[in-house]
Amino acid sequence: ALVMISIDNGLGLLGLSSGTKFVLNNYGGAISIRTWPKNAVHVRADHGRRDWVEFGFENNELHVTSASRMGVARQVEYDLTVPAWLPVSLSGIYNDISVDGLQGGMDVETVRGDIVVRRAAGVIALRSVEGVVDLVGAKAGGEEGLSWLGSSSS
């Protein structure tokens, strides 16, 4: 099944303002993020028939996660387009993650999967237990600056 959802404050569906954080937890699959100039989040999720994607907004955080009748969704492929200023937190177990253009900082963690980040800025924390962490064109910011744990790129 394929789900496409646009959350666009221009349409009044959900206002994204400074201080909002995007949080996505995906057990397995892939997460791809690119940026655009709109103050909106576009989510495309490709998943099995028995799985679904859940959204929630709490404490100035937009949460996205997947589920199924049997508990956790097995595999979801997310293709996200977000404002460049939006800070993100991405986590999961079996995920390949690619991010391009985020300027608001990120916290990315996966157990088995590669993390590829291009043209990013802000506080950046990247962790993969059994995968490659590849960071190119980043500007560290904030007190924490830049950190990564996992294999270095070859």
Side-chain angles (χ1 to χ4, degrees):
L2 179 65
V3 174
M4 292 181 68
I5 297 181
S6 289
I7 301 170
D8 186 338
N9 82 342
L11 298 176
L13 298 175
L14 180 62
L16 293 179
S17 60
S18 177
T20 300
K21 183 176 184 179
F22 182 83
V23 179
L24 188 148
N25 184 295
N26 187 31
Y27 180 79
I31 303 169
S32 176
I33 295 183
R34 64 182 177 273
T35 61
W36 62 357
K38 297 179 182 181
N39 191 26
V41 173
H42 181 259
V43 177
R44 181 181 182 272
D46 192 3
H47 55 77
R49 291 183 302 140
R50 297 181 180 159
D51 302 332
W52 61 86
V53 176
E54 298 178 337
F55 297 87
F57 194 77
E58 181 178 347
N59 298 325
N60 219 24
E61 293 182 340
L62 173 58
H63 291 264
V64 178
T65 190
S66 53
S68 81
R69 285 182 271 178
M70 307 302 255
V72 177
R74 294 184 58 148
Q75 182 169 327
V76 180
E77 308 285 329
Y78 285 98
D79 186 12
L80 309 166
T81 310
V82 303
W85 60 263
L86 186 66
V88 301
S89 175
L90 309 172
S91 63
I93 305 298
Y94 304 100
N95 282 292
D96 286 324
I97 299 170
S98 68
V99 177
D100 187 6
L102 278 180
Q103 305 299 302
M106 69 191 77
D107 183 5
V108 179
E109 184 170 6
T110 185
V111 175
R112 285 189 172 174
D114 297 338
I115 301 171
V116 177
V117 177
R118 300 286 182 264
R119 300 178 308 119
V123 176
I124 300 170
L126 309 174
R127 295 174 298 284
S128 179
V129 176
E130 296 181 17
V132 172
V133 175
D134 187 6
L135 176 64
V136 174
K139 297 177 189 172
E143 293 179 14
E144 296 175 29
L146 179 64
S147 69
W148 67 87
L149 298 171
S151 306
S152 60
S153 61
S154 41

